[in-house]
Amino acid sequence: MSKAASTRSSPRSGAALPPAGAGRLVDSLAPLLHEWLPRQRWFAGKGRPITGFSAVAATELMPPDASGPGPGLLHLLVRVEQRSTPDPDAQPVPVAPTDDCYQLLIGVRSALPPRLAAARIGPVHEGPLAGRVVYEALHDPRLADLLLEQLRSPGALGPLRFDRAVEIPAGLAPRLLGAEQSNSSLVYGEKYILKILRRVFPGANPDLELPLALARQGSGRVPSPVAWFEAVGADVGGGAGPQSLTLGVLQPFLRDSEDGWRLALRALADGREFTDEARALGQATAEVHLALAAALPTVSLGPHQTANLAEAMSGRLDATAQAVPALLPYVGGLRTAFDALARSGSAPRESDGAGAGDAPVTRAQRVHGDLHLGQTLRTPDGEWSLIDFEGEPARPLTERRRPQPAVRDVAGMLRSFDYAARTHRPWNPGWAERSRSAFCDGYADATGTDPREDAALLRAYETDKAVYEVLYEARNRPDWLPVPMAAIHRLADHRP
């Protein structure tokens, strides 16, 4: 972290609300949040009834104008309490009995202008904001600009801490991106992009932690964080006590870049191969893995850890099969992938030298954790970058920060090529297979190790990813369920 990224105090117009005031504020907003939150694409608790809200922290970034039409900006950390069982009419899924903490940026006005109608949450009828209208603040350029100003001036405001690594120019016009699912993003002056994490967890978020580590390593494959903000000493429940929470990360905006998903779909539509792009993407992925292994600790997974890994995958398979009956006929065939992984961890290693007969050891390191074509960008000069290191949002943060075999990222990308090919009509499995092979070739070129050589590990991770996809599509996009089910059929019928 540079000297510029200090936490010295800086003059700020807002203030943190005391716990009692924060509680009254959230209580007054509860009727509106009951209706509004489940409609947001980034809300992870769909299908579970909301039973209540509690305030973790509330900060006035701009106090609401008591008498005029000027807006106010409230930063809220709200714990959403939900039942651990889904609604009877909802898609049945395994649900952990936990509450989630969400970051909300709420605009406050006496009346909402027509240009902000789409951002409306609703009128407040009681409490400290009675008679006002609240709305999603990120749609308001004035409030979005205020958020950047906070990042431009390192310092603390109540529980919020704003840090930066470099100077940030003023006067960058904001615009809200509408394509993201689990978070929200603002682009400033087509120069920077601010990713605002919605569902937040105690501890360092990989979306800040890993890009910072890669920046220290000199990697050019990932945009380096320019600024970020956190909540310090927040207690989100669960018995962990007060901790820091990563809330947002500002990075360079790769203007005129295109994500790999759109590039792949265009190649399919044009009847073109994607092998050159896939090979270059494999090299870029390998370079990021090498940099992460150099920047952060790695560990060895012996037979016991490998068996635990296979057991966890098998458990996810059982739970998903109960939630998605279409998976039941394939469980036996799919389980052979996890059984093979468990056996591979204890099988003697062939060697003519010292150590013959020892069980093989798998290296584990920090990885992307949710790598697919949509998490990659290619610049106009053909260079690939990897973005969005948050990992799979449905998994606990402790799991996402755990060292894992790099093959996990490879398996995610192989599944993504299948996804792209399956969205094309007619289905083009040959295109997917050639792209998958080229990706692995590029990865091997950069590391000297072909991920296909560890067949049991790669197949297990690809199977685990396909099972995850089945659950995700069944819950969120039932029309897409045939896409991962095609892979399920292939993986269940696997023959060495």
Side-chain angles (χ1 to χ4, degrees), residues 265 268-269 418-428 479-480 482-483:
L265 294 187
L268 281 160
D418 263 7
Y419 253 71
R422 267 280 167 181
T423 63
H424 184 262
R425 297 291 183 271
W427 178 36
N428 195 336
D479 291 346
W480 283 65
V483 177

Side-chain angles (χ1 to χ4, degrees), residues 293-320:
L296 297 167
T298 63
V299 299
S300 299
L301 302 182
H304 180 67
Q305 291 90 343
T306 302
N308 287 343
L309 183 65
E311 183 179 1
M313 292 177 173
S314 187
R316 285 191 289 270
L317 170 62
D318 290 337
T320 304

